[in-house]
Amino acid sequence: MAFEPRIVAFACNWCSYAGADLAGVSRLQYPPNIRTIRVMCSGRISPGLILKAFEKGADGVFVSGCHIGDCHYSFGNRRAEHQVEKARKLISLLGIEPERLKLEWISATEGEKFASSVTEFVERIRKLGRSPIKSES
Amino acid sequence: MGEALSSLSPKELAQKTRAYLCLDCSKCTASCPLGRLGVTYSPRSFVQHLLINDEGPDEASLWRCLTCGLCHERCPSDVDFPVFIRELRSKAIEQGKMPHPTHSETIQEVMRILAKPETKPQRTSWLSDWVPVIDGKSGQKVEDIYFVGCSPYLETIFEHFNLSLLDTHLSALELLRLCGVKPYVLRDERCCGHDALWSGDTELFMRLASINVELWRSIGARRIFVSCPEGYHTLSTVYPDHFDFPFEVINTVKFLAERLEFQPTKIEKVSVTYLDSCRMGRYGGIYDEPRLLLKNIAGVDLVEMEMNRENAPCCGSNLWINCDGISKKLQNACLDQAIQTGAGVLVCPCDKCRIHLACAQLENGFLNETIRTENILSFLYRKGVNNLG
Ligand code: SF4
Ligand code: SF4
Ligand code: FES
């Protein structure tokens, strides 16, 4: 069977999750490979959560939050930047390609950006193939 | 520990850990660092309640123990409370209970990913060029291995503490080279599983351990050098209970103490104190060797903390679970003792202790920074060999 990437997307409630919603109601097409998890702020994301997604079988992890300056809790997205960078270093040490983790700022009005970023990311992961920590079956 | 003890009932477990020989003297309760800080914690009554009631352990107490080993050290009947609690935890985990992980479970997740046979870690890029690296599946045979453990991951997670955790291993390898030993570093090595074992995740521990043992077997390893006290304890005393284990596990500090001679280029006076981390001291019985090494460096003045050797204070946190205000109190108490010696450097064999202490220092806005911590191996190399000031 052809490889279908499994992707976990963490989306901030106030912006990217609403962005995803807008993409939906605007009937924009994006691949069904993502499982979206809503968080109250991208600052909630920690390396532990990202690693857990990979451990449980994700081929890629997509983190999205409000644009810098727009976080509803002031600096949550700044924190997210640090945490994602830490997670990127950790997955590299664990032999998972750093490109399998992506951080993107998407506002509530950017339904189109949500759809296109996700589409692009799914394609990237499709090229990379199955996560190296998963067995063939 | 022998066979998996967790299949035993509390009564059998009490037998195995000699809890039935308890004299009710309450030394354990009086010794426990938790009790000293006002938390009611009594190993003696914990075991007693468990044996009398059928309710099972109360969860808070089950995860609260630091496994520091002080109660076991002082018990006149040699009751091994840390192992008792470890095995109860194992049972609890089997029943789906969980301790509270710290750092958003990041370290537990690293262990879980490493426990997958498919994982191919890439964590050797920081090594000096001369250090030989070997792939477990290469078919190459080598005798000496240097076990790095989890430092590359911890260095990433705690990079903001600026503790240079990898320096420990770079220094250890340089010092071993001075003694004529050039061990290989194994690329696909796993974490030793110490933290999984002691927090009760025996299954995770066994998965990590069996991958390691298999790798050492396939390359024909004979000697394994370990610098991390937890790693040393786990490899030298726990692994042999579970596997056919034809390897000699060598503690780097102990090894160096018998061989290393320092020839410093310039002598500079420095006053240091030494922390007997529990896995090095109470669990490993290594007290004299680090002191011997430190005293051999010209200019180094070793001053002892009020509580030292068998009685050394706890770094306040263990296994990346249950860190809270009590942990901070313990960390500050440990730092205070070190500061009171007047030493500028707290030399420590365990980098995890250094992480926990740095965390308290950071929380205090580095008010405690009248003292800084340094791993014993980095210190030996920096002061004893290179004298880099
Ligand atoms: S120190 Fe040993 S003998 Fe004394 S109360 Fe505690 S377990 Fe019992
Ligand atoms: S191992 Fe340490 S923390 Fe646990 S009960 Fe004994 S003295 Fe207290
Ligand atoms: S509220 Fe959206 S990133 Fe903080």
Side-chain angles (χ1 to χ4, degrees), chain B residues 1-40:
Chain B
M1 62 184 275
E3 72 278 36
L5 297 180
S6 63
S7 52
L8 304 179
S9 70
K11 291 202 163 104
E12 290 166 315
L13 197 52
Q15 221 137 30
K16 282 268 178 197
T17 55
R18 296 172 294 275
Y20 281 121
L21 302 181
C22 172
L23 307 165
D24 267 345
C25 71
S26 252
K27 266 195 181 183
C28 51
T29 313
S31 309
C32 178
L34 295 167
R36 288 167 148 247
L37 286 178
V39 186
T40 315

Side-chain angles (χ1 to χ4, degrees), chain B residues 307-361:
Chain B
M307 290 163 80
N308 55 57
R309 299 181 66 102
E310 290 83 355
N311 299 319
C314 174
C315 70
S317 189
N318 197 358
L319 319 173
W320 312 110
I321 58 173
N322 289 354
C323 183
D324 60 10
I326 306 295
S327 322
K328 286 290 156 289
K329 277 193 189 171
L330 288 164
Q331 286 150 9
N332 284 319
C334 180
L335 285 166
D336 283 345
Q337 271 200 44
I339 291 167
Q340 272 158 28
T341 63
V345 189
L346 171 57
V347 177
C348 182
C350 173
D351 278 337
K352 285 192 188 163
C353 287
R354 293 180 62 221
I355 293 172
H356 300 314
L357 295 176
C359 179
Q361 286 185 303

Side-chain angles (χ1 to χ4, degrees), chain B residues 88-204:
Chain B
L88 280 184
R89 285 177 181 177
S90 177
K91 250 190 247 298
I93 294 253
E94 277 166 23
Q95 291 160 4
K97 293 181 185 137
M98 270 277 279
H100 291 294
T102 59
H103 309 282
S104 316
E105 224 176 327
T106 306
I107 297 148
Q108 284 83 354
E109 281 304 334
V110 168
M111 289 194 279
R112 288 181 197 127
I113 292 179
L114 285 172
K116 290 177 188 279
E118 294 84 7
T119 302
K120 290 191 185 61
Q122 298 292 335
R123 20 129 258 151
T124 50
S125 60
W126 48 276
L127 287 168
S128 317
D129 289 341
W130 66 265
V131 179
V133 176
I134 181 176
D135 210 309
K137 306 217 166 60
S138 63
Q140 216 184 326
K141 299 279 176 208
V142 299
E143 292 211 334
D144 288 346
I145 285 290
Y146 182 87
F147 183 81
V148 173
C150 53
S151 302
Y153 311 105
L154 295 182
E155 173 63 18
T156 304
I157 297 168
F158 298 104
E159 61 193 351
H160 51 294
F161 287 170
N162 289 322
L163 293 173
S164 313
L165 303 180
L166 298 172
D167 210 49
T168 299
H169 303 292
L170 293 172
S171 303
L173 286 159
E174 293 291 351
L175 292 166
L176 285 170
R177 179 157 74 146
L178 287 175
C179 300
V181 184
K182 261 193 178 186
Y184 280 73
V185 169
L186 197 54
R187 197 188 312 269
D188 17 21
E189 163 196 296
R190 297 329 204 225
C191 138
C192 71
H194 169 279
D195 297 338
L197 174 75
W198 286 89
S199 44
D201 200 340
T202 316
E203 196 235 310
L204 179 57

Side-chain angles (χ1 to χ4, degrees), chain B residues 271-282:
Chain B
S271 164
V272 306
T273 186
Y274 176 78
L275 176 63
D276 292 278
S277 304
C278 63
R279 265 45 176 180
M280 189 77 163
R282 288 187 284 269

